[in-house]
Amino acid sequence: MPATVPKRANAFPRAGPYLRTVMHALSDPLRYEVISALVREPEGTERHCSSFGLPVTKSTRSHHFRILREAGLIRQVDRGNSRMAQLRRADLGDRFPGLVDLIESNPAPLREH
């Protein structure tokens, strides 16, 4: 009987429609804006989830970050009583060469305030 592999937090899915999951996560303009902002930051940068200024409620913001995390685009790290988001740049580069460069060369449009 094969051994089961425990599911790690922030781990990439081993099977399934991974590309579709990533594309779905990036299809939302606010989630794309978050990833676009993280791509422009130096590697390893952690940002507080509220620092992106998304015009949504806290629960909706949490939902967006959960979608990004489950798609494998970001890693979330608890820092005291807050949660920081970090782009999984190296993992994305390994899994989808050129994706980060493509996002960087196509930044999210500026949102009207």
Side-chain angles (χ1 to χ4, degrees):
M1 175 174 8
T4 58
V5 178
K7 187 172 180 178
R8 289 184 351 232
N10 294 316
F12 278 108
R14 288 188 172 269
Y18 181 69
L19 177 62
R20 287 186 293 183
T21 303
V22 169
M23 293 296 110
H24 168 72
L26 292 173
S27 70
D28 181 88
L30 294 178
R31 292 192 295 259
Y32 188 86
E33 182 179 325
V34 168
I35 297 302
S36 181
L38 287 171
V39 163
R40 291 189 308 272
E41 299 283 350
E43 187 166 353
T45 296
E46 295 178 355
R47 284 187 56 182
H48 192 276
C49 296
S50 64
S51 72
F52 295 94
L54 301 180
V56 295
T57 64
K58 185 177 178 181
S59 62
T60 301
R61 184 175 64 230
S62 294
H63 168 76
H64 283 303
F65 279 91
R66 181 178 58 81
I67 297 294
L68 293 171
R69 185 182 66 248
E70 289 177 355
L73 292 164
I74 64 169
R75 163 181 302 112
Q76 287 190 295
V77 182
D78 290 327
R79 300 280 184 231
N81 63 354
S82 63
R83 187 169 259 196
M84 307 293 278
Q86 181 183 54
L87 182 68
R88 296 183 66 176
R89 190 181 300 266
D91 294 334
L92 288 169
D94 291 344
R95 186 78 182 231
F96 297 109
L99 178 63
V100 172
D101 294 333
L102 187 60
I103 294 169
E104 188 171 22
S105 64
N106 293 280
L110 295 176
R111 214 175 340 115
E112 292 183 26
H113 298 284

